[in-house]
Amino acid sequence: MGTKMYKLVVLDLDGTLLTTDKKITDRTKKVIWHLAAQGVIIALASGRTMSGIRGVIDELSLKSESLYVIACNGAQVWSESTQHFIANQCLSVDDVRFIRQWGRLIGMACYTQHAGELVVEDNRDIPLNARRYSRLGIHVTTDTLLLNMPAPKVMFIEDQFSIDLLAQQVPADIIKRYQCVRSEPHYYEVMAMGVNKGEACRILAAYLGIASVNILALGNELNDCEMLRYAGKGIAMGNASEVVQRCADDITASNDEEGVAKAITRFCLN
């Protein structure tokens, strides 16, 4: 199946498009440029916020009409050509406040993001371990307006063992009320109910008038599973866990072995 089959290619970033050292290889860029030149639309899908994705957008240097972005695990769908959100589903002030209260109860810091920084409550009883796992600056504050602003997601950023425990002990009132996902080994994220990359793909596909059978998606983490299932062809990276690979139709090489370039060449350009 070539480019006539796939009209939209959706790429996760960390662990998929990006290598372990957060690079895009020259070969991968050339393959993506070739694909876009043939009229295929590219969507970048990430747990990152828009500001965290902007560097990747700039590096790819695609024409704006060829590029869309799914940010914050699907809470936001962005059109690069119109510079507007197609969808933007945020947690309310009450939601953010409720999740922060849960964080205090379990002794874990809750982070939102504002102006390119992680925003966290000033609480001396709770350690701020995000410094070990995030490149973003941390804004520690007691400003309740800033802490509880509407946000596309709330994050817990801890060591892998702590996130393992958290994922196993989320209370029923959180699970029933919100969409929770582990986006990376050190990240556990909470969004509005129904928010995920698969639903964001459906919204984008409807906007573009593209059927799911004409979508190819690549990912490696648990937050990619709905997207891999929704796409006509879902491809898991070689570095993905067995759980994620079982969600996919096929498996490519790892992110450090140019798995994205190999999959696009195999399914779209041959």
Side-chain angles (χ1 to χ4, degrees):
M1 300 289 184
T3 54
K4 291 182 180 179
M5 175 66 179
Y6 298 113
K7 299 178 180 179
L8 171 63
V9 171
V10 188
L11 304 173
D12 170 55
L13 299 188
D14 298 287
T16 300
L17 177 63
L18 303 178
T19 61
T20 300
D21 58 358
K22 306 301 181 184
K23 305 292 185 183
I24 308 174
T25 69
D26 289 340
R27 178 191 175 190
T28 300
K29 289 179 189 176
K30 290 176 182 177
V31 167
I32 292 172
W33 292 338
H34 187 184
L35 196 63
Q38 296 190 32
V40 177
I41 293 170
I42 307 297
L44 304 178
S46 178
R48 297 186 186 192
T49 62
M50 282 299 305
S51 62
I53 299 172
R54 180 52 58 184
V56 178
I57 295 172
D58 294 342
E59 185 174 356
L60 285 176
S61 299
L62 294 170
K63 293 181 179 179
S64 61
E65 59 267 26
S66 299
L67 184 64
Y68 291 81
V69 178
I70 293 170
C72 296
N73 295 312
Q76 297 175 323
V77 181
W78 172 261
S79 167
E80 187 66 5
S81 61
T82 66
Q83 294 287 295
H84 286 95
F85 286 112
I86 298 166
N88 187 17
Q89 190 170 355
C90 288
L91 295 162
S92 70
V93 170
D94 289 341
D95 289 326
V96 175
R97 184 183 296 115
F98 181 75
I99 297 165
R100 285 196 186 278
Q101 289 173 347
W102 172 47
R104 290 190 211 103
L105 182 64
I106 61 176
M108 295 179 72
C110 295
Y111 302 87
T112 53
Q113 197 168 333
H114 179 71
E117 291 185 311
L118 295 173
V119 177
V120 65
E121 184 177 18
D122 186 3
N123 187 332
R124 294 181 181 179
D125 296 327
I126 299 179
L128 303 181
N129 293 322
R131 290 189 176 94
R132 302 177 186 175
Y133 310 111
S134 175
R135 299 179 182 182
L136 297 176
I138 298 180
H139 181 78
V140 183
T141 183
T142 57
D143 184 344
T144 56
L145 291 178
L146 181 58
L147 286 167
N148 298 318
M149 289 177 62
K153 65 178 182 176
V154 173
M155 298 170 281
F156 295 88
I157 308 173
E158 298 286 345
D159 63 89
Q160 188 167 339
F161 179 73
S162 296
I163 295 297
D164 286 342
L165 289 178
L166 175 64
Q168 295 168 12
Q169 299 174 359
V170 181
D173 57 344
I174 294 289
I175 293 174
K176 290 178 181 178
R177 190 168 172 178
Y178 303 107
Q179 192 83 19
C180 303
V181 69
R182 187 174 191 161
S183 60
E184 292 190 41
H186 301 287
Y187 284 71
Y188 193 83
E189 304 185 345
V190 184
M191 290 79 60
M193 179 57 73
V195 167
N196 60 67
K197 290 186 184 180
E199 176 61 13
C201 282
R202 186 195 66 77
I203 291 170
L204 178 57
Y207 176 81
L208 295 171
I210 295 174
S212 61
V213 70
N214 298 126
I215 300 173
L216 182 142
L218 292 101
N220 75 297
E221 272 291 354
L222 292 173
N223 64 334
D224 297 315
C225 285
E226 291 91 350
M227 176 179 79
L228 296 178
R229 293 191 191 103
Y230 177 79
K233 176 72 74 175
I235 304 175
M237 303 300 291
N239 50 294
S241 69
E242 289 185 14
V243 173
V244 176
Q245 290 183 357
R246 286 198 296 268
C247 296
D249 302 303
D250 214 311
I251 300 170
T252 187
S254 76
N255 62 320
D256 289 326
E257 299 169 319
E258 298 185 315
V260 166
K262 291 176 180 177
I264 290 175
T265 300
R266 176 185 172 191
F267 292 106
C268 299
L269 300 179
N270 284 335

